[in-house]
Amino acid sequence: MSNLKMVAPCLFGIEGIAADEFKRMGFEKVTAENGRVLLEGDDNLLVRANINSRFAERILINMGEFDAFTFTELFDNVKNMPWEEYIGREDAFPVNGWSINSQLSSIPDCQSIIKKAIVERLKSKYNISWFNETATEYRVRFSIHKNRVTMMIDTSGEGLHKRGYRRNSNAAPLKETLAAAICDMARIYPDSQVYDAFCGSGTLLIESAMMAKKMAPGLRRSFAAERFPQISESVWREERLRAQSLILTDIDFRATGFDIDPDAVELTLKNAKFAGVEKYVNASVRDVRNFVAPQERCLVLANPPYGERLLDVREAEELYKVMGEKFNFGNGQKYFIISPHDEFEKFFGEVADKRRKLYNGMIKCQLFMYFKKR
């Protein structure tokens, strides 16, 4: 497959970061849109994107786009797409998707119509009336936004945020793709010194270590498209070897985490080992009230606890005050703190040098960035 059109969904707020990453991978046609990046490339680039992308949620083959206001329009347009180029007579093709601000708002009905349309297309191509769906699985995904339908085939399988290292997590884990975006905005280098006063399951520390080492996040996992006969096994081998060759081994990077919960500290160390970065990540039990920022140049990344109940919010506000007292400025320290609290700066006691709107799942947050001397 020489010229594939692809869709890379991503968290709102990091589309530009994801697009820049794809350009660095070698993609020439890259377009950032709300919540996704559109791409064009060959098999190697599709595989490379799956293995190397830190910010995308999935890599999907774009089968086509069209406007649909009725189920008849949906059926006819889906039926006209060349599904036989991917789905064989024995293959499985489950259908999932979503619809927002559109005439076709019933997800179950859309799934049923799309499935029926693909079946009718394949019936006419294979001259059979029944599909066992026992061979390779091609997950069909659809998105309908303001009546604009995009039909796709998933090549990733599990979401790309599942790197494989986080076997367990604490109660409020930060999504790996979001953590990677925060690390990117903080500008991690091979000699960076990173600290996290609320390390939890260690996601920020581990993502920063992987970024410093230029370690591809997908090297330790598998992908749905590895079972697609359309993509040669040699392409997967070639791209894994390429990713392996880019890893830096001689770096001065250090990541240090603290947490008040001993179980969280233990989890951080276990996850760092699963990720293959245990050499660069340390963690110990410490309350943020006892946190002492290093005097030398460093990056402090933080996802402080926050709850929706009133008591939790008040406790979080007290915590922000403590952070403002303990996070000192002036010797090259930079702080990147993510919070959903609109008045974080008020309680922290410092106005951010820059803010960036981000989403942690469905929770609207802001990344408060402090990088200027005070």
Side-chain angles (χ1 to χ4, degrees):
M1 296 182 287
S2 58
N3 187 35
L4 291 166
K5 291 186 177 181
M6 295 169 246
V7 180
C10 58
L11 296 171
F12 285 101
I14 68 171
E15 299 90 345
I17 293 172
D20 288 343
E21 179 185 49
F22 287 124
K23 290 174 185 176
R24 292 194 297 271
M25 284 184 206
F27 283 92
E28 294 182 358
K29 293 185 178 180
V30 180
T31 306
E33 298 185 348
N34 284 338
R36 68 181 193 173
V37 180
L38 304 182
L39 308 164
E40 289 188 36
D42 59 11
D43 288 0
N44 279 81
L45 285 173
L46 182 148
V47 171
R48 188 177 303 171
N50 270 299
I51 293 172
N52 291 274
S53 180
R54 300 185 192 280
F55 314 116
E57 297 299 313
R58 296 179 182 279
I59 304 299
L60 309 165
I61 296 172
N62 189 348
M63 294 296 292
E65 299 187 29
F66 55 88
D67 292 325
F69 299 87
T70 68
F71 286 124
T72 299
E73 290 175 326
L74 179 64
F75 179 89
D76 290 343
N77 279 284
V78 172
K79 186 181 176 183
N80 285 332
M81 292 178 174
W83 298 101
E84 67 279 2
E85 291 181 5
Y86 295 93
I87 303 171
R89 60 180 64 221
E90 300 292 333
D91 294 334
F93 46 102
V95 177
N96 287 289
W98 54 266
S99 177
I100 298 176
N101 298 329
S102 300
Q103 298 280 101
L104 305 178
S105 59
S106 170
I107 303 303
D109 286 340
C110 290
Q111 287 175 306
S112 178
I113 294 294
I114 289 168
K115 181 79 173 186
K116 184 178 179 181
I118 298 173
V119 167
E120 291 303 314
R121 171 79 183 198
L122 296 179
K123 274 184 180 180
S124 67
K125 294 297 177 180
Y126 295 134
N127 260 340
I128 55 176
S129 59
W130 180 258
F131 294 87
N132 292 319
E133 299 195 48
T134 56
T136 303
E137 182 178 75
Y138 292 84
R139 298 182 188 179
V140 176
R141 295 184 178 271
F142 65 89
S143 67
I144 310 176
H145 182 231
K146 294 182 178 179
N147 303 305
R148 185 70 177 173
V149 181
T150 305
M151 296 301 308
M152 300 159 286
I153 292 177
D154 184 5
T155 71
S156 300
E158 283 196 306
L160 295 182
H161 70 280
K162 295 188 177 181
R163 323 292 206 201
Y165 65 75
R166 201 161 73 179
R167 312 294 173 88
N168 296 292
S169 61
N170 59 342
L174 192 67
K175 203 169 188 180
E176 293 91 333
T177 43
L178 178 58
I182 293 171
C183 293
D184 185 80
M185 285 182 269
R187 297 187 179 181
I188 302 294
Y189 295 104
D191 64 346
S192 292
Q193 306 297 304
V194 173
Y195 291 83
D196 184 354
F198 310 93
C199 65
S201 54
T203 310
L204 282 166
L205 300 174
I206 293 167
E207 290 295 326
S208 64
M210 293 174 71
M211 191 172 287
K213 282 180 63 64
K214 300 189 184 303
M215 178 187 289
L219 264 177
R220 296 181 170 225
R221 55 159 288 177
S222 61
F223 304 92
E226 289 184 73
R227 296 180 289 278
F228 291 7
Q230 294 87 352
I231 304 176
S232 170
E233 290 182 11
S234 63
V235 174
W236 289 96
R237 286 196 299 271
E238 180 183 335
E239 289 300 328
R240 282 200 164 93
L241 285 171
R242 176 187 178 276
Q244 194 74 40
S245 71
L246 296 175
I247 297 175
L248 303 178
T249 55
D250 186 21
I251 62 174
D252 294 325
F253 176 86
R254 290 291 178 272
T256 304
F258 305 105
D259 202 287
I260 196 171
D261 182 2
D263 290 339
V265 170
E266 183 180 355
L267 191 56
T268 290
L269 296 174
K270 283 184 178 178
N271 288 341
K273 187 172 183 179
F274 286 138
V277 295
E278 69 272 23
K279 176 182 176 181
Y280 307 95
V281 176
N282 294 303
S284 58
V285 178
R286 184 180 298 181
D287 192 309
V288 69
R289 291 168 178 81
N290 299 319
F291 179 80
V292 179
Q295 293 302 308
E296 68 273 10
R297 177 177 63 91
C298 68
L299 298 171
V300 179
L301 312 179
N303 175 33
Y306 180 83
E308 295 184 357
R309 294 178 301 174
L310 184 59
L311 180 61
D312 292 338
V313 174
R314 287 176 178 170
E315 288 176 347
E317 291 168 353
E318 289 300 316
L319 206 56
Y320 299 156
K321 291 178 182 177
V322 173
M323 291 166 60
E325 295 168 0
K326 294 295 179 178
F327 290 5
N328 53 342
F329 299 86
N331 294 300
Q333 301 95 338
K334 297 179 181 179
Y335 299 88
F336 296 79
I337 307 163
I338 186 170
S339 172
H341 200 307
D342 290 333
E343 295 188 296
F344 169 82
E345 293 161 307
K346 169 186 169 184
F347 295 97
F348 186 66
E350 289 281 351
V351 175
D353 299 314
K354 189 176 181 181
R355 296 191 298 180
R356 179 78 169 260
K357 186 187 294 184
L358 298 170
Y359 282 83
N360 186 11
M362 298 302 293
I363 302 173
K364 185 173 74 174
C365 300
Q366 290 197 72
L367 181 65
F368 297 91
M369 297 175 262
Y370 299 86
F371 45 82
K372 294 180 181 178
K373 288 185 177 182
R374 297 297 194 269

